[in-house]
Amino acid sequence: EDIIKKKLENNSITILNPTLTNILNNDTFKLKIEDEIFYVPLWKDISIFSLNNEMIYVKCIPDLPDNINIIKDNNNYNIHININTTLKSILKMPIEINIPNNNIIIPTEHLKIKNYQKIIFNNKGINNLNDQLESISIGSIIAHIYIDFTVSS
């Protein structure tokens, strides 16, 4: 605990809360500290800068709907979406996933008759960039579908 306190003494931590739109658009945040400007990539979970021999840590904690999570897996950031639906609903219309810049439709005939299923949409998610802002891969959107088979009268 003392080691952590000592390391933080001469350093600062800034927390930003980007939206899913910010992340999918590869937006940057212009952070001004003293007279210096730092461009923070909002899709990275942590960025580290140096100013006057001090470290500046910027942590991005996305502001996401309750049913969406971003999980880093093998250097890819993937979007996980939990979808709760009923048999009656999916028989009437397909499942629609609306996220910024992307509208995904899962036709009923692609679903299985089971309570849980996972459908992966490769290369539809977050653009994973390196430090030189070059695209190295595109993450996936992973739909976790939970179907309630309870029949109400």
Side-chain angles (χ1 to χ4, degrees), residues 46-90:
I46 190 152
S47 298
I48 303 170
F49 304 97
S50 179
L51 177 65
N52 302 328
N53 295 324
E54 292 180 13
M55 300 304 286
I56 299 163
Y57 297 91
V58 182
K59 174 86 175 139
C60 289
I61 302 172
D63 183 16
L64 301 171
D66 290 340
N67 68 322
I68 296 178
N69 291 303
I70 296 174
I71 298 173
K72 188 174 184 178
D73 182 32
N74 293 329
N75 290 324
N76 277 328
Y77 290 95
N78 296 315
I79 300 170
H80 291 257
I81 302 173
N82 293 319
I83 300 165
N84 293 300
T85 189
T86 63
L87 179 60
K88 185 177 179 180
S89 292
I90 61 173

Side-chain angles (χ1 to χ4, degrees), residues 13 20 30 38-39 44 51 74 79 97 101 109 125 143 145 148-149:
I13 297 174
L20 189 54
K30 195 170 159 180
F38 300 94
Y39 292 93
K44 290 183 77 173
L51 177 65
N74 293 329
I79 300 170
I97 301 172
N101 307 331
E109 58 268 18
I145 303 169
D148 182 357
F149 289 98

Side-chain angles (χ1 to χ4, degrees), residues 6 8 19 26 32 49 84-85 90-91 103 112 114 137 152-153:
K6 188 170 182 151
L8 291 176
T19 64
N26 298 320
K32 186 174 182 181
F49 304 97
N84 293 300
T85 189
I90 61 173
L91 289 175
N103 188 25
K112 297 180 175 109
K114 56 188 208 176
S137 65
S152 56
S153 46

Side-chain angles (χ1 to χ4, degrees), residues 22-33:
N22 294 136
I23 294 166
L24 289 170
N25 288 338
N26 298 320
D27 290 343
T28 56
F29 180 80
K30 195 170 159 180
L31 178 66
K32 186 174 182 181
I33 298 176

